[in-house]
Amino acid sequence: MGGRVITSVIFALLAIGVNCQDETTVKPESNAVANNNICKLCKCADNKVDCVDQGIATFFTTVEWEGLIDFKPEVVNLSENRFTNITMIADLTIEVLNLSRCSIEFIENASFRDLQEMRVLDLSYNKLTTEKLSPHAFEGRFAPEEYEPLASMRVLNLAYNDLHSLHQDLFEHLPELEELDLSGNPLTTIDHVTLIAISSLPMLKSLRMRSCQLAEIPSKFLHTPRYLERLDISDNRLSAVPQELDEAKNLVYLNLNQNPIIELDMTSEDYPGFPRLRKLQELHMCNMPKLRRIGMGALAGLESVQKLHISFNPSLSEIDPKALARPDDIGETYDWPAVKELYLKSNNLSDVDSRLISRWDLLEKVDVSDNPYLCDCSTQWMVDILTPVVETKGGNASTMVCQEPIEMRGYTMKHLHEIHRTMRCVDKYGHRPEKDGAILLGTLIGVLLAVPIMLSLMLLWRHGYFAWLGLRPPVDVSRAFYKRAPADDSY
């Protein structure tokens, strides 16, 4: 009897364990979701639908999307598939929709109409063209008087498509859009309709137009987006700092990397410095092969700049000590911005002037490595003051290496600091210390050779060997002054 009870208890426990295991297995998704076509192809869990690189050639139908209503997806990733057309999506709670790298050529009107909670839409790396990308693709639900906007939309990524221009009404249904990425589209120029399209986004805070083959920024382009804070116009064909930037009054981040800008000079019309950008905090000017000089006051308009990235510019050999200095109204005193991070890595600088910023000890990060430094008295301050600053801020002063003069080549400023080395000055004629030894040695050799040569010549002359040249020896000269008296002379 007791054995039967024990057996019954064991079976009961096993049954409970199996049931618990089944519940744990099934819990992440209901049977309805598990049987849905989308979740058969994709991974559905934690309110996310992951369909990355599943070879999907046809976009899901509205009925298939409706099968996800109970699942309540918030993030849907369909990137790296093979469908070319986008059709209407059912009323879902999707907040982030990734449709990148899918060879998309066409988006059906109102495809995203019912995604009223969608905040982020990624359409990058597709084949959308100006002709096929219609404003109706982004229209919202239909109201009696007009189409309602997609009010929750904040981020739209159209990067690396084939857009040569934008329809002027492309964003009319996205009035709250804050971030727009147009990078990698062959715009070449910002034409009138493109200007209108971007100007229709009053809430825009971030605009990326990297690698768009732009040679200039048109006037009034940045006038309407009054809240614009971040602008990336890197890897274009800009040959000078766009003066139209002064329209972006709230700009805090600017990326000008990889543009063929030659120099910044406040006295030049062709290559002016920066306009007044009072709120700009971070500037990137890196990988500019033609940039050779930053003149006096060229960065003075950046009153609040905190992070300066000016690195990997192989021709940049001069940064004026007062490049950042902002003169007062009278011009007698100067103010410098409170720079916190300074990056001058891998340029062609022979020195960094101590007057470039006001307080080196207040820097939080600094990197001035891999420049061909001239190690003489003009850079003594770098050895004595800047080197310990670099070391205490997490940098590596061992990469601050002397290139000139030749006698100092290969020495690191860290080593010079450790041995308390005092370096010589280049004299006012530009003579370098490394030539002093050669000059002294040459002079000594010359003197040593000249003395025996002169003595030999003197001996040869005394013995009359140069008479044929009209150079008589001293004996002949004395005889010329003595003449024997005649025998018949009497006194």
Side-chain angles (χ1 to χ4, degrees):
M1 182 71 178
R4 292 182 179 177
V5 172
I6 293 173
T7 305
S8 301
V9 171
I10 292 173
F11 276 111
L13 291 173
L14 289 173
I16 292 171
V18 170
N19 289 335
C20 291
Q21 186 176 3
D22 290 343
E23 287 179 9
T24 304
T25 305
V26 177
K27 189 175 180 180
E29 51 188 53
S30 65
N31 291 330
V33 172
N35 294 328
N36 180 270
N37 287 338
I38 295 178
C39 289
K40 287 180 179 179
L41 290 172
C42 313
K43 180 181 178 181
C44 298
D46 300 324
N47 300 109
K48 297 179 181 179
V49 178
D50 185 355
C51 292
V52 177
D53 194 16
Q54 295 299 313
I56 302 171
T58 304
F59 198 67
F60 299 130
T61 65
T62 305
V63 174
E64 288 176 311
W65 283 112
E66 287 175 347
L68 293 176
I69 291 177
D70 293 335
F71 180 65
K72 297 181 179 180
E74 295 177 359
V75 178
V76 176
N77 191 342
L78 288 167
S79 61
E80 299 183 48
N81 283 290
R82 295 186 288 109
F83 47 83
T84 58
N85 292 350
I86 302 297
T87 55
M88 188 173 294
I89 302 173
D91 187 354
L92 296 171
T93 55
I94 297 173
E95 296 182 14
V96 178
L97 179 58
N98 189 342
L99 300 173
S100 64
R101 303 178 187 272
C102 291
S103 302
I104 298 170
E105 298 179 5
F106 180 75
I107 301 175
E108 185 179 284
N109 291 353
S111 290
F112 313 111
R113 180 188 65 187
D114 294 322
L115 302 182
Q116 292 296 304
E117 297 181 32
M118 184 169 64
R119 297 181 295 102
V120 180
L121 176 59
D122 190 346
L123 291 166
S124 61
Y125 293 93
N126 283 297
K127 297 181 179 180
L128 296 169
T129 63
T130 303
E131 295 74 20
K132 292 184 178 180
L133 183 59
S134 166
H136 297 295
F138 304 116
E139 68 186 23
R141 291 171 176 169
F142 183 74
E145 296 180 357
E146 60 182 2
Y147 285 100
E148 295 178 359
L150 295 177
S152 297
M153 271 288 292
R154 295 295 184 271
V155 180
L156 176 61
N157 191 344
L158 293 172
Y160 297 95
N161 280 280
D162 194 23
L163 301 170
H164 292 268
S165 180
L166 302 179
H167 192 287
Q168 65 180 23
D169 297 323
L170 185 60
F171 307 121
E172 66 174 339
H173 301 289
L174 308 172
E176 302 295 325
L177 197 68
E178 295 180 355
E179 298 183 26
L180 176 63
D181 194 343
L182 297 171
S183 300
N185 284 288
L187 294 173
T188 307
T189 183
I190 300 175
D191 57 23
H192 183 63
V193 289
T194 301
L195 190 151
I196 293 175
I198 296 176
S199 297
S200 69
L201 296 170
M203 307 305 294
L204 194 64
K205 293 182 179 180
S206 176
L207 176 61
R208 299 191 72 221
M209 301 187 73
R210 172 183 172 84
S211 306
C212 290
Q213 304 174 32
L214 301 176
E216 62 178 359
I217 301 297
S219 177
K220 304 299 180 183
F221 174 63
L222 302 172
H223 179 70
T224 302
R226 298 180 183 274
Y227 302 102
L228 189 67
E229 297 179 352
R230 301 177 65 86
L231 178 62
D232 184 349
I233 45 177
S234 59
D235 193 25
N236 281 292
R237 296 189 288 115
L238 302 172
S239 59
V241 175
Q243 298 304 291
E244 292 75 18
L245 291 171
D246 66 350
E247 297 175 350
K249 304 297 183 183
N250 291 295
L251 205 63
V252 297
Y253 172 94
L254 175 62
N255 191 335
L256 285 171
N257 291 348
Q258 294 175 267
N259 275 289
I261 295 175
I262 297 175
E263 66 176 326
L264 282 72
D265 188 339
M266 293 304 291
T267 63
S268 172
E269 293 184 2
D270 296 327
Y271 307 111
F274 281 89
R276 198 166 189 178
L277 299 172
R278 294 185 176 182
K279 295 186 179 181
L280 192 75
Q281 297 179 11
E282 185 170 351
L283 172 66
H284 291 253
M285 292 183 65
C286 303
N287 297 295
M288 293 183 166
K290 294 187 177 181
L291 182 63
R292 63 191 183 204
R293 175 175 172 269
I294 299 177
M296 179 177 177
L299 307 176
L302 313 180
E303 301 178 12
S304 304
V305 69
Q306 297 179 9
K307 300 178 182 180
L308 269 177
H309 297 258
I310 307 177
S311 298
F312 304 103
N313 302 304
S315 300
L316 180 59
S317 59
E318 179 186 351
I319 300 179
D320 192 275
K322 292 184 178 178
L324 283 160
R326 184 177 69 259
D328 60 11
D329 296 334
I330 303 176
E332 296 180 351
T333 61
Y334 291 86
D335 293 322
W336 279 261
V339 177
K340 294 181 179 179
E341 297 182 18
L342 178 64
Y343 303 92
L344 298 175
K345 178 183 174 72
S346 300
N347 294 305
N348 192 33
L349 298 171
S350 60
D351 73 311
V352 177
D353 199 284
S354 61
R355 297 166 292 176
L356 182 61
I357 64 175
S358 58
R359 293 284 301 273
W360 292 88
D361 58 318
L362 296 181
L363 286 173
E364 296 176 359
K365 293 182 181 179
V366 57
D367 189 348
V368 294
S369 61
D370 299 325
N371 283 286
Y373 288 119
L374 166 64
C375 290
D376 67 354
C377 62
S378 66
T379 51
Q380 184 73 47
W381 85 274
M382 296 179 68
V383 172
D384 297 339
I385 300 174
L386 185 55
T387 294
V389 170
V390 171
E391 289 292 306
T392 56
K393 304 302 180 183
N396 185 3
S398 297
T399 55
M400 297 163 59
V401 183
C402 301
Q403 182 69 21
E404 297 287 347
I406 193 169
E407 64 181 18
M408 302 291 289
R409 184 171 297 173
Y411 282 98
T412 68
M413 291 193 178
K414 181 179 180 180
H415 174 69
L416 297 176
H417 175 76
E418 290 172 347
I419 64 174
H420 306 287
R421 177 68 175 267
T422 298
M423 298 182 292
R424 299 178 58 182
C425 293
V426 175
D427 65 33
K428 64 179 181 179
Y429 300 106
H431 297 150
R432 296 291 179 86
E434 74 272 13
K435 296 182 180 179
D436 292 353
I439 293 173
L440 290 173
L441 182 60
T443 303
L444 180 60
I445 292 173
V447 171
L448 293 175
L449 291 175
V451 170
I453 291 174
M454 291 299 296
L455 290 174
S456 299
L457 291 174
M458 289 290 293
L459 289 172
L460 292 172
W461 174 62
R462 290 180 67 85
H463 288 84
Y465 285 98
F466 296 123
W468 60 279
L469 292 174
L471 301 174
R472 292 179 294 173
V475 175
D476 291 342
V477 173
S478 62
R479 288 174 180 172
F481 286 99
Y482 173 77
K483 194 173 185 181
R484 184 182 295 277
D488 57 349
D489 285 352
S490 57
Y491 296 92

